[in-house]
Amino acid sequence: MLRALAHLFPSFGCRSWRLAVPTLLGALLLAVTVPVQAATAEGASAQQSEDGSQAGDGRYAGLIDILRDPAKRDELIGELERLSAGEASDDTSDASADEGGMVDDIAGGLFGVVAETAADMAGAVSRLIDRDLDMDWLAVGQVVWRVAVVLALAYVVMWVGRGLLRGIWKRLEGFTRSAHLHHRLFRTGVAVLASLALGAALLLLAYVAAQASVWWLADGDRQLAAILGLALQAFVVVEAARLIVGAAFTPALPGLRLFALSDTDSRFWFGWLSHVIWFTGYAGILLVPAIYRAGREDLASAVGWLVALVALLYVWTRLWQARKPVREALAARADRAQRALTGWSLHLLAASWHWLAMLYAVGVFVVAITRPGQSLPFVALATFKTAVIIGAAIFVAAMISQWIGRGVPVPEGLRQRMPTLQMRLNTYVPLTLRILRIVIGLIALFGVLWAWQLVNVFSWLGSDGGRWLLASVIDISIVLLITMIVWLVATGLIEAKLNSDTDMPSARMQTLLGLFRSAIAIALVTVAAMIVLAELGVNIGPLLAGAGVLGLAIGFGAQKMVQDVITGVFIQIENSMNAGDIVTAAGVTGTAERLSIRSVTLRDLSGTVHVIPFSSVDIVSNYTREFGYHKGEYGIAYRENIDDAIAQLRAAFDELAADPDWKDRILEPIDIPGVTALADSSVNIRVMIKTKPGDQWAVGRAYNRLVKMYFDKAGIEIPFPHTTLYFGVDKDGTSPPANLRLLKEDTQKVVEDESPSRPGEKPDGPRGRVPDRDDVDLPED
C-alpha cells in the first residue's frame, strides 16, 4: 500500500489529482460542517441550561409533559430499562463482555442507529406539533434586522478590503507565474501562504468592525448580544472555511491555485463547496443555537436534522455529478501507470470513488444526528486532521517532484570540467524520489492513524525502542548520504583532473574512471556496510579480523595479480596507452581494444587477439600520440643526380598535399634531411612527413605511389637487386669465349646465344638437351 501511495504522489499535476483532490475535500466537508452545527446546537443547549431559572423551568415543564402523556411515559420507562440493563451488563462483564458489546455495535449498529434516528425524529416532530407554534414575530424581526446589519457591515468591510488587496494578489500571481518550472510549485505555496495571511488579516478586521457594532446594536441586552455573537461566530467560521477552500481553487486567480485545475473545474468545485459552507455554517452556528436560546428545543432539533439532511442530499448530487470526469481522469492516470498494482488500484478507485465518498457522508450524517456529544467532535476533528495531513503530504511530494524530478542542474563551468557529473547525479534522482515518497507516505499514514486514534506511532517513537530505531535510521541515512557524496566527489575530481577540453570524455579518462571507480566503489561499499552493521548492533570485530586474514592470504597467493593491477594503474596514470591506440607491448603490435584492471587486449594486423597481463609489459610503444611521421628511405642508382631526385620527391609531396583526401592528414611540409647512406647498389635519401597520429602509414602508402610515378616520369632509376657474371679479361683486352645455352624447362627448347664470343665462330652445341660443363668453351692455356 505504501508503494502504491508513493507512486500516486508524483501524479500531483495530472488531471486525475486535479479532480480527485477536490472530491476528497468535498467528501470531507460534510464531516466538518455538519458536526459544527450539531455540536454548536448542543453547546448552545448546554449553555442555556446554565443561564438561570427560566431555562430550568422549561426543562421541568418538558419533563411534566412527558410524565403526563402515557405514550411518552412508556417510552421514557423503556429507555431507562435499556440503560439499566446496559449498566448491569457492564458491571458483570469483563474484557470479553466489552468486546461483545463492540461486536454488537458493529454488527447491528446500522439498524439500531436507523431505528433510533427515526424514533428521535418522530418524537421531535410529535412534540413540535403538540406545542404551540405561535411566536413573537416582532421580537424575531428585531433580532433578524440587527443580525443582518452586523453581517452586512462585516461583508462590506470584506468587500472593500478585497478591492484594496486585489493589486497585491495580482502581484502574488505574477510572482508564481514568473517562476522557473523547477520552483513554480514552491513559489505557489509561498504565495498561497501570503494570500491566506492577507485574507486572515482582512477577516480579523471585518470581525473587529462588526463586533464594534454589536455593542451598539445589543444595547445591553445579553440575550441579543449572545445571538449577535453567534452571528459573528458563524461569519468567522464560514469565511475562514471559504478562505481555505479558495486557496485550493481560487477561480479568479489561476496562479494562486494549489491544484492545477481548469477555470471550469475550479468554478464548479469552489461554487458548490461554498454553498455547502454557507448553508451548514450559518444554519448550524447561528440559526439552530438561536432557536435553542428561544426555548424551542424541539424546533431547533428539527431544523438541525433538516439542515443536515439537505446538506447530505446536496453533497450527494454534486458527487454524483462529478463521478464521470473524476472517473475518466483516474482511468487515464491508471493507463499511464508504470506498475500494474498502481494501475489496478487507480482503476478500482475510479469505479468506486463516488460510492465511497457518499457512504462516508452518510456515516458522518448519522453520527452527527445520533451521537452529537460523544462521537461527533472526534469524527469532526479526525476528519479535519486527515484532510490537512493528506493535502500537506501531496503538496510536499509534488513540490519535491517538481524540484528535482526533471533532473539536477549543474553550473555551466562545472559541467564543462565534469561533463558526466550531471548525468551521474540524475541517475540517482528516480531512486531518491522513490525513497522520499515512501517516507512522506509513511509519515502521512502514521498521521492519519494518529488522527483516528488507531495507532500512535509518534508516541511509540518517543519510547526507548522507538528512539533507538529512529536514531539507527537517521544514522544509516546519514552514512549512505555521505557515501553517495564521497562517491560523486571522488569520481568528479578524477574526471576534472583527466578530462580534456572536449565535451566527451577521452579514452584515457574512461579507462582510468573504470579502474578508480571499481576501487573506490569497493572501498566505500565495504566501509559503509561495516558502519551500517555496527549501527544495527552487529559486532564487526570478528568480521574485520577475518577480512584482514583473508586479505593477507589473498595477497600472498595472488602476487602476480597484484602486480598486474598496480602496473596497469601506473600505466594509465602515465597515459601510456588508451583504448583505440596502436601500440607495441610485450613484443606484440596491434590496436588496444580493451584495458581492464589487470590486462590489455591487442588485435594485430592479422586479426589475432592477444591478451597481455600488465606484469608482462616492460616497454610500451605508442604510435598514436600527438603526431606521427612517415619516415621513408628512397634509393636511386649511383649514376642519377641527387638534386634531381630530391626535386622529384618534393614534387610528389606537393601533389599529395594538394589532394583533398590527404591534405588534412598532413601537419607540416616535407622534411628531406638528405643522403643517409651510400649503399651497395643505391644512394639512399631520407624523407620525413609529419602527419596526424595514426595516419602515418596511410600517408606513406599514398606518397610511395606518387614517388614511383614521378621517378619513372623523370627517368630516375630505382635500383633493384641483380647478378653480374664476370669471366675475366686477357692481356690484349679480349675476353675468353663463353658460349651459354639456356633451355626453357617447360618446353625443353634450347635458347642459344645469337652473338658469338669470337668473330666467325658459330655455336655448335647440341640441341634438345640440358647444357653441361662440356658446352662451355674455356680459353686454352
Side-chain angles (χ1 to χ4, degrees), residues 369-383:
I369 296 300
T370 59
R371 304 178 186 272
Q374 301 173 4
S375 303
L376 186 57
F378 167 74
V379 172
L381 186 59
T383 303

Side-chain angles (χ1 to χ4, degrees), residues 9 12 17 21 24-25 28 258-259 384-398 444 448:
F9 281 163
F12 178 81
W17 274 115
V21 173
L24 176 64
L25 293 177
L28 297 179
L258 283 178
F259 307 109
F384 176 75
K385 290 178 180 178
T386 301
V388 172
I389 291 171
I390 294 177
I394 293 175
F395 179 79
V396 172
V448 171

Side-chain angles (χ1 to χ4, degrees), residues 19-311:
L19 294 177
V21 173
T23 303
L24 176 64
L25 293 177
L28 297 179
L29 180 63
L30 191 64
V32 179
T33 55
V34 173
V36 168
Q37 62 92 13
T40 307
E42 183 173 333
S45 177
Q47 182 179 359
Q48 182 184 4
S49 65
E50 300 175 358
D51 285 344
S53 61
Q54 182 177 359
D57 294 341
R59 288 196 303 272
Y60 295 147
L63 181 59
I64 292 172
D65 292 339
I66 293 176
L67 294 176
R68 285 178 179 176
D69 190 346
K72 296 179 181 179
R73 185 170 61 252
D74 294 339
E75 181 183 352
L76 178 60
I77 293 173
E79 181 69 18
L80 293 175
E81 289 177 350
R82 185 180 65 81
L83 294 176
S84 177
E87 292 177 357
S89 62
D90 291 340
D91 294 337
T92 59
S93 300
D94 295 326
S96 60
D98 294 337
E99 294 177 359
M102 184 180 298
V103 172
D104 291 340
D105 287 341
I106 295 175
L110 181 60
F111 297 101
V113 164
V114 172
E116 184 179 355
T117 303
D120 290 343
M121 293 183 66
V125 172
S126 176
R127 290 190 298 270
L128 182 62
I129 295 175
D130 291 340
R131 295 191 61 179
D132 187 9
L133 293 179
D134 292 338
M135 300 180 65
D136 188 358
W137 295 106
L138 181 59
V140 172
Q142 293 293 328
V143 173
V144 168
W145 78 262
R146 285 176 171 81
V147 170
V149 169
V150 171
L151 294 179
L153 179 60
Y155 278 107
V156 166
V157 174
M158 292 284 292
W159 180 74
V160 174
R162 286 171 181 168
L164 296 176
L165 294 176
R166 185 172 298 275
I168 298 178
W169 282 327
K170 286 288 187 181
R171 291 186 178 181
L172 289 176
E173 184 184 20
F175 171 75
T176 60
R177 290 183 179 275
S178 63
H180 189 270
L181 189 60
H182 292 278
H183 307 99
R184 181 167 298 174
L185 196 57
F186 175 76
R187 284 199 179 187
T188 301
V190 173
V192 168
L193 290 177
S195 177
L196 287 175
L198 292 175
L202 182 59
L203 181 59
L204 178 62
L205 180 62
Y207 172 79
V208 171
Q211 184 64 43
S213 68
V214 169
W215 298 332
W216 172 67
L217 292 173
D219 195 19
D221 190 343
R222 295 180 58 187
Q223 188 74 8
L224 182 58
I227 295 176
L228 295 179
L230 289 176
L232 283 181
Q233 182 181 356
F235 166 76
V236 171
V237 172
V238 167
E239 292 304 318
R242 293 182 70 247
L243 182 63
I244 295 174
V245 173
F249 304 107
T250 316
L253 298 172
L256 296 182
R257 295 174 190 165
L258 283 178
F259 307 109
L261 290 166
S262 64
D263 293 341
T264 303
D265 293 336
S266 178
R267 285 192 295 267
F268 169 76
W269 291 101
F270 181 76
W272 78 266
L273 290 176
S274 296
H275 295 160
V276 175
I277 292 172
W278 271 73
F279 179 69
T280 57
Y282 281 108
I285 302 176
L286 175 60
L287 181 59
V288 175
I291 297 175
Y292 266 109
R293 288 183 177 275
R296 307 301 298 271
E297 293 88 349
D298 297 335
L299 180 59
S301 298
V303 171
W305 289 330
L306 179 62
V307 169
L309 182 60
V310 171

